Amino acid sequence: MEAIWSWFEWLYEAHGVNLSIFYDSLDRDRFFFGLLTTIRLSLICIVASVVIGVVGAWLQTSRFKWTSRLVQGYIQFFRNTPPLVQLYFFFFAIGGVLPKVPDASGHMVPPIGNFTWAAISLSFFAGAFNVEIFRAGIEAVPKSTSEAAEALGYTRLQSYIYIILPLAFRVCLPSLNNNLVNLVKTTTLAYVIAVPELLYVSSQIWSDQFNVREMMNVLLFTYVGLVAVLVFMMHRWEKTLKIPGYGR
Amino acid sequence: MSGARKHRSVGGTGNLAVLKPFSLHNAAPSAWRLQPGHGYMLFAALVLFVLVGEVQAAPARPSIIATMWKWTPFLLQGFAFNILISFVSIIIGTMAGAALGLGQISVSRPIRAVSWTVTQFFRNAPWLVLLFYCIFLIPFEFELFGVTIPFPAWIKAVIGLSLPVMANFSEIVRGAVQSIPDGQWEAAESLAYTRRQTLWLIVLPQCIKRMLPPWMNLYAVLTMATPLVSIVGVGEGMTTTGEILAAENRSDLLIPFYMYLLCLFFIYCYPIARWTISLERKFAVKI
Amino acid sequence: MAESDWTPDQPMVSAKDVHKSFGALEVLKGISLDVMKGECICIIGPSGSGKSTFIRCINALNPINSGSILVEGQEVNDPQLDKLELRKKVGMVFQQYNLFPHKTALQNIMMAPIKVLKEDRDEVEQRARHLVKKVRLDGKEDSYPGELSGGQQQRVAIARSLAMRPDVMLFDEVTAALDPETVKEVLLTIRELAEEGMTCILVTHEMGFAREVANHVYFTDRGVIVEHGPPKTFFTEAEDPRTREFLSQIL
C-alpha cells in the first residue's frame, strides 16, 4: 500500500500531477469520507424516493378526488421546477423559519441539519418522478390480464399483489434505473448547502492543494464509476427478474 | 450491411408473443393527466404562503406583496438570463449532439466506439461537476492569430451546460434512428439507395417526429439546470433572488421569494411539459 | 340464498331476457337460453352481435342491466352475489389466453387454487400435474408462457380454469388468435372435455366443431338469438334469411 502512495508522491514531484488524495493521509481521509457521504445520501434518497413513488402511485388510484389531485400537484410542481431552487427553498426558506432548538451542549441549533435537508429535498424531487413511473407501470399491465385473474376468483387486492404489481414492477425497472442514476448525479447539489459529499470535499482539497485539474478529473471518473456500479447492479437485478420469452 | 443495424434489436419495443405490447412509452402519456387546475393550485399555494407571511409581518415594515412587486422587474431580469442561457446551450448542445449521435450509428467501428464512449461519459457525469470542469479548466481568454478572444465565465458556463445536453441528444438521435424498422433500410437498399442516401432521405426525416418530444423534454431539463450557474458565480435568477433577500434582510420574505422564483420556473416549464405530452400522444397514434 | 333449491335436472345455466348496454349502445336485447348439465352449446354469429358480451355476463365480468342469469340456481344479477362462489363454479378461457407471464405453466395452474381457494399445496400440485398431462403438455410444466406457442398457451389456460374444478366452462373465441395448425389441438382438448360430460358454452367460429360436438347451436345477430337448434337440423334447415346468409358466407 505504502508503495502505491509513494508512487503518487513521485508522480507529483516528477510530473507535477498532484493527486494528493492518494499520498496525503488527510486528503485521503477527506475524500473517502466525501465518497461515503455521497453513497449514504444516494442510498437514503433511493429508498425514500421509491417509497414516495409506491405510496404516491397507490394514492393516485384512490377514489377520493382530492388525494389524487394533491399528488398530481406535488408531482407537477417538483418535476417542473429546478431541483437546486427546491433545495434552497427547503434549506433556507423552510429551514430558516423553523424555530431553533438547544443541542446537547445547550447551543441553539436548527432542528434539521443540512444533510437531512438535502435528503428530504432530493427524495421529494426524485419521488415525483417515481410516482409517474410506477403508475405508468401499473397502467401498462393489460386489463385482460387482471380480468383473467378476476375470472379465476382473485379479489382486487390478491390480483394486485400476485399479478399486477409483479408485472408492473418489471415494466418500470428501466425507467426506474434512469431516474435513480439521475438521483445519484443530483446529489452533487448538496454541495451548495455545505453537505460534505464528494464535490464539496473535493473543492476543499483543491483550494488547499491548488490541484483543480487533477481533482476535476478524479471527480468525473468517480461519478461515472459510481453510476456504472449502480447501472451494473440494476441490470443484474433486471436480468434476474426477466421472464423467459417475455419482451426482448 | 452495417453494424448499426445489427444492434438495433437491443433497444426499442417489439410486439410480444404473449400479450399486447407492454410499452411503457405508450403508457406514459396517459399516465400524465395534466390539467389547468394544477396551475391554479400553484397560484393558490403562493398566495397562501404570502398571506401567512403577511400575518406574521410586523406592521411597521412594507407588506410582502408590495416588496415582491417592487423587486419584480429585477427578478424578471435575472430570470431572463436563465432563459438566455438555456437558449444558447440548447443550440450548441443540439448541434454537437446531432454530430455525436450520427457518429454512434456510423459504419466505421472506431467512430462508433469513440462516439459511444463520449456520449456515455458525459451522460453519466453530474451536470454540476461538468459545469465546474468548464469554469475552472477553460482559460479565460484565447490567443488566436495574435488576437486575444476573451472567454467570460458565462460563456464557459454555457459550454458546461451544453456538454450533458450534447450527450443526451446524441442518445435521442441514436434511439430514434434505431427505432425505424429494419424494413425501411431493406426497402431502400433494394431500391439501390446508398447508405448515406437512405439515412438522409428516408430514415432521418422519419426520425424528426420521434425526436421532437424527447428533445423538448431535454430542453425543459436544461432550463431547470440553469440555476446551477449561480454556484459558479454567473448571475441569473437564483443570484438575483439571493441579492434581493440580502438587501431586504427579512426572514419573513424567505418563503415568498423562493416560492416566487419556483413559480417563475414552473410557469415557463409546465407548458413545455404539457406540449411535449400532447405531441407524444399525437405522434404515438401515427407511428 | 336460493341456490340449494337447484337440482341437476334443472338447467345448469339459465338466462332469461338478458339486456346489456354500454352507454347508449344496446348490445344484448333480450337473450334467453338454457344449458343442461353435461351439454355443450355453441354460440355463433357475426362479430359485434353480442355473443362475447353475453358469455362474459355469465361469470359476472360484465354486469347486466336487466333480466336474469341463474347458474345452478344462483342469480348472477344480484348485487349481493358472492363472486368467488360463482367463479368457483364457472371457469373461463379467453381469446388472448391471458396467462400470467411471470409464472411458469404449472404455477399458472396452481396459483388460483392455492391463493384463492386456500387449498393444500401438495394436493393442488398433484392435480395440476395431472391436468398438464390431460391437455397433453407433459414436459412443459416449467416453461414460461412466453416460451410456449399460442396453442400450448391456450391449453395451459384451459388447465388453469379446470384446476378450479368448475361445473361450467366458458370458451370465448378461444381459437380465434391461433395459427390454423394449433387450432386442432385446442379443439381436441375441448372436445374431450365435452365428451367427459363437462358443461361447455363456446363462442366460436369453428363450424366444423359446432357441427360435430355441440348439442345445441345458437345463432345471434344484433343482440338477439335469431335461431337455434340441434346442429343436425340447424346447419341444413336454417329458416331465417340472416342465418342462411351467415352460414353461406362462412361454410
Side-chain angles (χ1 to χ4, degrees):
Chain A
M1 220 51 180
E2 275 308 312
I4 302 174
W5 300 152
S6 48
W7 184 81
F8 280 104
E9 205 159 7
W10 166 84
L11 187 70
Y12 177 38
E13 279 153 14
H15 298 281
V17 178
N18 184 3
L19 286 167
S20 62
I21 55 164
F22 290 109
Y23 64 80
D24 184 303
S25 72
L26 171 69
D27 286 358
R28 199 190 307 150
D29 290 349
R30 279 202 283 193
F31 189 79
F32 189 65
F33 182 71
L35 182 64
L36 274 188
T37 309
T38 291
I39 293 174
R40 203 157 61 98
L41 186 60
S42 303
L43 287 180
I44 291 175
C45 292
I46 285 175
V47 172
S49 70
V50 167
V51 170
I52 291 175
V54 172
V55 173
W58 176 71
L59 282 178
Q60 285 220 302
T61 59
S62 150
R63 257 163 260 166
F64 302 104
K65 241 186 186 168
W66 276 101
T67 5
S68 59
R69 272 190 203 162
L70 215 64
V71 176
Q72 261 306 311
Y74 153 67
I75 294 171
Q76 296 313 333
F77 188 74
F78 276 83
R79 286 184 75 129
N80 291 298
T81 53
L84 176 67
V85 186
Q86 289 167 15
L87 182 60
Y88 277 130
F89 180 76
F90 274 107
F91 184 71
F92 289 117
I94 296 184
V97 297
L98 287 181
K100 293 194 170 176
V101 291
D103 69 353
S105 55
H107 295 287
M108 296 303 274
V109 293
I112 300 175
N114 49 1
F115 181 87
T116 315
W117 274 125
I120 292 174
S121 170
L122 293 172
S123 301
F124 273 110
F125 171 66
F129 288 82
N130 284 351
V131 176
E132 291 285 318
I133 289 171
F134 285 124
R135 214 183 73 165
I138 290 171
E139 285 185 3
V141 176
K143 212 175 158 285
S144 56
T145 304
S146 48
E147 217 165 49
E150 208 187 317
L152 286 166
Y154 287 78
T155 63
R156 249 189 118 66
L157 188 67
Q158 281 173 331
S159 88
Y160 244 80
I161 294 173
Y162 298 120
I163 315 293
I164 297 177
L165 285 184
L167 287 174
F169 193 67
R170 288 171 168 89
V171 180
C172 302
L173 260 183
S175 346
L176 189 65
N177 275 351
N178 248 341
N179 192 32
L180 296 185
V181 165
N182 259 335
L183 174 61
V184 171
K185 293 193 292 180
T186 315
T187 57
T188 46
L189 295 192
Y191 164 87
V192 299
I193 57 170
V195 175
E197 45 71 71
L198 262 181
L199 181 59
Y200 189 80
V201 295
S202 302
S203 75
Q204 285 180 325
I205 293 172
W206 78 56
S207 29
D208 289 352
Q209 300 275 0
F210 306 105
N211 57 349
V212 179
R213 182 180 304 271
E214 291 88 338
M215 282 317 292
M216 272 299 161
N217 288 313
V218 166
L219 260 186
L220 270 181
F221 279 99
T222 311
Y223 273 106
V224 172
L226 272 181
V227 167
V229 169
L230 179 67
V231 168
F232 175 74
M233 290 194 306
M234 293 297 276
H235 275 201
R236 277 272 298 265
W237 196 27
E238 228 173 282
K239 241 184 206 159
T240 57
L241 285 180
K242 190 163 164 46
I243 308 163
Y246 194 65
R248 278 207 273 174
Chain B
M1 171 187 111
S2 72
R5 280 180 49 199
K6 265 180 228 137
H7 37 96
R8 186 161 313 121
S9 58
V10 175
T13 45
N15 286 357
L16 305 176
V18 198
L19 297 164
K20 286 169 197 156
F22 242 41
S23 159
L24 192 61
H25 185 75
N26 290 339
S30 70
W32 280 63
R33 283 191 202 116
L34 296 173
Q35 286 140 13
H38 302 136
Y40 302 131
M41 265 175 57
L42 189 72
F43 186 72
L46 177 63
V47 170
L48 188 75
F49 274 119
V50 170
L51 286 182
V52 168
E54 206 71 272
V55 173
Q56 294 172 331
R61 293 187 286 193
S63 79
I64 291 175
I65 295 174
T67 318
M68 286 171 78
W69 180 247
K70 182 179 82 182
W71 288 109
T72 294
F74 188 53
L75 188 58
L76 286 180
Q77 216 179 340
F79 184 66
F81 268 100
N82 289 86
I83 312 276
L84 179 70
I85 291 169
S86 73
F87 278 157
V88 184
S89 300
I90 194 79
I91 291 170
I92 298 175
T94 303
M95 291 193 303
L100 199 58
L102 290 177
Q104 280 204 84
I105 53 164
S106 159
V107 268
S108 138
R109 182 178 277 272
I111 293 182
R112 225 163 49 223
V114 168
S115 311
W116 181 84
T117 313
V118 171
T119 303
Q120 291 307 319
F121 191 81
F122 285 110
R123 224 163 67 99
N124 288 325
W127 292 54
L128 186 54
V129 175
L130 289 175
L131 201 57
F132 269 106
Y133 203 95
C134 290
I135 289 290
F136 286 122
L137 299 186
I138 297 177
F140 63 95
E141 56 185 27
F142 268 116
E143 193 91 22
L144 198 65
F145 306 118
V147 187
T148 312
I149 303 168
F151 239 63
W154 75 272
I155 290 184
K156 292 195 271 185
V158 161
I159 294 173
L161 289 177
S162 305
L163 287 177
V165 172
M166 166 190 81
N168 282 289
F169 190 64
S170 164
E171 277 297 278
I172 293 174
V173 171
R174 185 182 68 105
V177 170
Q178 293 187 351
S179 76
I180 303 292
D182 279 350
Q184 295 287 312
W185 288 89
E186 280 156 14
E189 205 182 341
S190 72
L191 291 169
Y193 285 81
T194 65
R195 184 186 153 81
R196 181 177 292 264
Q197 285 170 327
T198 312
L199 188 63
W200 287 95
L201 298 177
I202 291 154
V203 174
L204 286 180
Q206 299 183 53
C207 289
I208 302 282
K209 253 188 184 177
R210 296 177 192 218
M211 292 190 306
L212 195 58
W215 180 77
M216 282 165 55
N217 189 41
L218 180 60
Y219 175 68
V221 171
L222 165 67
T223 308
M224 288 185 277
T226 51
L228 293 180
V229 302
S230 68
I231 301 172
V232 293
V234 177
E236 46 67 74
M238 190 63 243
T239 324
T240 322
T241 309
E243 283 166 4
I244 295 169
L245 288 170
E248 289 284 341
N249 195 21
R250 277 168 57 182
S251 65
D252 58 330
L253 289 178
L254 284 171
I255 291 182
F257 267 96
Y258 280 112
M259 247 343 234
Y260 197 4
L261 184 64
L262 284 171
C263 287
L264 284 180
F265 274 99
F266 187 85
I267 290 165
Y268 186 73
C269 293
Y270 183 65
I272 298 176
R274 290 196 64 162
W275 193 24
T276 307
I277 290 152
S278 71
L279 278 183
E280 254 171 22
R281 270 202 201 128
K282 209 169 99 192
F283 295 159
V285 182
K286 285 180 190 161
I287 287 169
Chain C
M1 226 169 246
E3 56 188 303
S4 54
D5 298 346
W6 182 78
T7 52
D9 56 321
Q10 288 169 334
M12 186 163 243
V13 176
S14 173
K16 291 217 167 47
D17 198 28
V18 174
H19 285 260
K20 166 77 189 165
S21 308
F22 291 109
L25 182 71
E26 194 175 22
V27 185
L28 302 179
K29 300 170 186 164
I31 299 263
S32 301
L33 59 80
D34 285 337
V35 184
M36 300 302 290
K37 184 171 168 47
E39 267 193 326
C40 174
I41 69 150
C42 286
I43 305 173
I44 61 171
S47 46
S49 63
K51 46 195 198 314
S52 281
T53 308
F54 174 68
I55 203 173
R56 289 160 62 91
C57 290
I58 297 177
N59 77 341
L61 274 181
N62 291 346
I64 61 177
N65 298 99
S66 68
S68 142
I69 300 178
L70 295 174
V71 177
E72 296 188 359
Q74 188 182 23
E75 176 57 62
V76 172
N77 188 20
D78 174 359
Q80 255 121 54
L81 166 79
D82 181 351
K83 286 194 179 171
L84 178 57
E85 268 313 302
L86 175 72
R87 281 162 184 163
K88 276 202 297 200
K89 288 184 210 158
V90 183
M92 179 153 188
V93 185
F94 300 84
Q95 178 178 347
Q96 292 291 343
Y97 343 128
N98 295 349
L99 290 181
F100 306 132
H102 59 310
K103 298 283 170 185
T104 64
L106 196 66
Q107 285 169 339
N108 260 284
I109 300 170
M110 288 168 57
M111 224 165 119
I114 293 172
K115 303 286 185 197
V116 178
L117 303 181
K118 316 276 183 212
E119 288 183 296
D120 176 61
R121 185 178 189 93
D122 294 333
E123 201 246 322
V124 171
E125 178 162 353
Q126 219 178 353
R127 194 161 86 221
R129 292 196 182 276
H130 176 72
L131 283 169
V132 169
K133 284 207 183 67
K134 190 183 166 82
V135 297
R136 290 188 198 82
L137 286 172
D138 318 42
K140 297 286 182 194
E141 288 89 347
D142 297 324
S143 303
Y144 282 87
E147 300 170 314
L148 300 174
S149 75
Q152 290 170 329
Q153 287 190 59
Q154 194 59 293
R155 283 181 283 154
V156 173
I158 293 172
R160 181 175 71 172
S161 276
L162 290 175
M164 301 286 281
R165 288 191 280 218
D167 296 335
V168 188
M169 286 285 285
L170 309 177
F171 296 92
D172 184 6
E173 304 204 25
V174 291
T175 55
L178 298 177
D179 297 331
E181 315 91 82
T182 58
V183 167
K184 237 190 296 168
E185 51 195 27
V186 172
L187 289 181
L188 182 64
T189 305
I190 301 174
R191 184 180 189 143
E192 282 172 358
L193 264 182
E195 282 165 359
E196 283 168 19
M198 173 62 80
T199 314
C200 297
I201 302 176
L202 285 93
V203 167
T204 189
H205 292 293
E206 299 292 332
M207 294 303 144
F209 180 83
R211 195 192 294 241
E212 286 169 33
V213 182
N215 302 98
H216 216 82
V217 180
Y218 289 80
F219 174 70
T220 58
D221 191 21
R222 286 170 230 164
V224 292
I225 293 175
V226 178
E227 197 163 5
H228 64 95
K232 255 185 220 152
T233 50
F234 178 86
F235 285 104
T236 48
E237 298 159 27
E239 284 163 14
D240 194 279
R242 275 188 282 177
T243 317
R244 264 188 265 164
E245 194 197 332
F246 178 75
L247 288 177
S248 69
Q249 279 171 359
I250 211 150
L251 290 176

